[in-house]
Every structure is written in structure tokens, then in C-alpha cells.
Amino acid sequence: MSKKEAAKTVAELPEVNFSDYGGVRFLHLGTEWVQGSMLRDAPYDIELEYVQRMMAGLLFTDAAVVSKKHAMQLGLGSAALTKFCYKKLRMKTTAIEINPQVITACRLWFKLPRDDLRLHVIEADAAVEIKKPVHKGTVDFLHVDLYDHEAAAPVLDSADFYEDCHGLLAEDGVMTVNLFGRDSSYVQSLTKIAEAFGPEAVWAFRPTREGNTVVLAQRDPTRPERADLLQQAGVIESRWDLPAKKWLRLFAPAA
């Protein structure tokens, strides 16, 4: 891509701004739609309910080895997942974000740390970046939350895209996806995910009040007993203060 083409691409990306309401800071892409949030007094916690649910991969992972895992976010948003994985879970964390203004905003306004040995923020088109061999089979927690400034439907939602996501996952890796938008089709998206991962690998939450539906897909399908999931949820709540026991009332295999 030439410098002229790159400049044109950046110019076409939406403006990034933020708003504060009470103790919460919200990220916007030039519209009233909320693209992410941060508790101003607890910037490394996760404020939004659906974003907390994006961490449901913890239900399938031994808490003792979480810090040795690798998390990747496709779409930075307000960096809530990136910061939580990096700061709270102490994981190697990679985020892929196409809009350089979002990266700058997260560092200026949303307490995203600078890159270091464990944190790497890549300015790139996720559809292109995840095809690179360097990423294949390296990701234990893959978080997919890709929306444009209108939040109408997922930006990447094809069968080929979910195949590429499957290829990113390490052994026992897990993907979570936020399915939301007035023009999105939950059933069609779920079908594509099931085709890529297998129907036995797919789990889903009930929608939030706002309409966000988080879907989880395992690289290697398992169906843990409910007692085991409850025990794991208790560990998640005590270690990381996420409402994991509540998750289990709203979370089940999709098929």
C-alpha cells in the first residue's frame, strides 16, 4: 500500500471521541453508539456486562495456568478486554485494530499501557493479519468484537473468517464473539461458526438487555459437567471478580 493509499484509508475511518457520565467513560466512533467503556476509578476492570461475558473462556481453563496463556482481541474498542487480560490475568496479550485513532485514544483516555514483552497492539486489518503464519495455533483466548461506527452488524462475519479464527487457536483454545446489531443475523452467524468449529463446540449466552449475544466456540469440543463448571465459576469469582456463577444461568450449548 502506498503512502497516499494509506492516508486515504485513515481518512475514511470514523472520528474517535469519548464522553463521561458519572464514573464511567465511553468510547464513540463519531456517533452516539457506545463502542466501549471504562470505570474511571477502576480502569482495568470490565464495566459492560457483555464484555465480561467475553471472558467465558475462563470456564474451560485451569486457573493455575491462565497467566501462561495468550489472549488476542480482534477489535480494540476501549481496550477493556486487552487491559483485563494483560493487567488482571497477567497474560501475553495481542490486540489487532485497524483504526490508529482508536489505539491513540485508548492510550490517552482509557489507560491502555504501552507495548512491552507481554503486550502487543497491532495496527492492521484483522481479516488480513490473522492469516499470517506467525499467529496460527498460538491463541488460547480469542475475543472477536468487530463493529463499525454505526454498530449495525459485525464487520467480519463470513464462514471463511471463522475458519481463519479456528486456525488461530492453540490446543484447548476458545473463541468468544459478540453478535449484535440491527442488521445482523444471529442464526446465520451461529451457523457459520458451527460450520467452522463443529456444532458440538458452540455455546451461547442469552442476549443482554441491550441485545448483545456472546457466542463461545472451542477448538476441541468438551461438555463439562455442571458441577465442574460451577466449581470453576467459583474460582473465577474469587480470583478475578467476574460474575461467573451468574453466567451459568444464562449459558448453555447451542446445539
Side-chain angles (χ1 to χ4, degrees):
M1 181 184 292
S2 68
K3 289 184 178 179
K4 184 176 180 180
E5 289 171 329
K8 181 180 178 182
T9 299
V10 171
E12 291 171 348
L13 293 169
E15 179 187 359
V16 179
N17 55 355
F18 74 92
S19 63
D20 290 336
Y21 183 79
V24 182
R25 175 162 292 173
F26 299 99
L27 178 73
H28 307 274
L29 299 182
T31 73
E32 73 277 8
W33 290 101
V34 171
Q35 301 285 343
S37 67
M38 177 186 73
L39 292 166
R40 296 172 69 187
D41 291 338
Y44 303 114
D45 291 350
I46 299 176
E47 191 265 334
L48 290 174
E49 182 179 22
Y50 93 84
V51 184
Q52 293 175 349
R53 294 180 184 185
M54 294 285 283
M55 291 305 312
L58 289 169
L59 289 168
F60 301 89
T61 306
D62 181 355
V65 299
V66 164
S67 65
K68 298 178 175 64
K69 301 293 187 178
H70 176 206
M72 177 179 282
Q73 292 79 44
L74 306 186
L76 185 60
S78 64
L81 288 166
T82 301
K83 292 184 299 183
F84 188 85
C85 290
Y86 172 72
K87 281 284 192 180
K88 298 280 188 170
L89 302 184
R90 309 296 300 169
M91 298 173 71
K92 176 184 176 182
T93 308
T94 304
I96 301 173
E97 171 58 48
I98 195 171
N99 190 337
Q101 296 179 65
V102 170
I103 299 172
T104 299
C106 285
R107 292 205 154 118
L108 288 176
W109 304 330
F110 290 89
K111 305 290 187 182
L112 175 65
R114 293 289 176 183
D115 283 7
D116 61 18
L117 292 176
R118 284 194 300 110
L119 178 62
H120 190 198
V121 179
I122 301 171
E123 182 190 327
D125 182 341
V128 176
E129 183 68 26
I130 65 174
K131 293 179 182 291
K132 293 182 178 179
V134 68
H135 301 305
K136 298 293 183 182
T138 70
V139 180
D140 301 289
F141 290 72
L142 178 64
H143 305 121
V144 182
D145 195 6
L146 292 163
Y147 288 83
D148 63 14
H149 59 292
E150 295 293 344
V155 173
L156 298 175
D157 190 42
S158 68
D160 287 345
F161 169 69
Y162 291 121
E163 286 282 357
D164 289 337
C165 289
H166 184 273
L168 288 173
L169 294 181
E171 184 178 354
D172 299 325
V174 175
M175 174 184 76
T176 48
V177 183
N178 173 34
L179 297 177
F180 170 77
R182 62 183 180 276
D183 296 333
S184 67
S185 171
Y186 171 74
V187 173
Q188 291 180 13
S189 297
L190 195 67
T191 299
K192 294 169 190 173
I193 294 168
E195 288 174 355
F197 286 79
E200 293 294 313
V202 183
W203 301 63
F205 282 92
R206 297 177 198 167
T208 64
R209 287 188 302 271
E210 296 77 19
N212 299 85
T213 303
V214 172
V215 172
L216 179 146
Q218 301 173 275
R219 199 198 81 159
D220 304 314
T222 62
R223 290 293 171 88
E225 296 291 332
R226 183 164 183 81
D228 294 332
L229 287 172
L230 277 169
Q231 182 177 14
Q232 184 69 5
V235 172
I236 294 167
E237 291 198 348
S238 63
R239 285 200 178 200
W240 299 302
D241 197 27
L242 291 169
K245 291 180 181 177
K246 179 183 177 182
W247 292 347
L248 294 182
R249 300 197 297 270
L250 307 165
F251 181 66

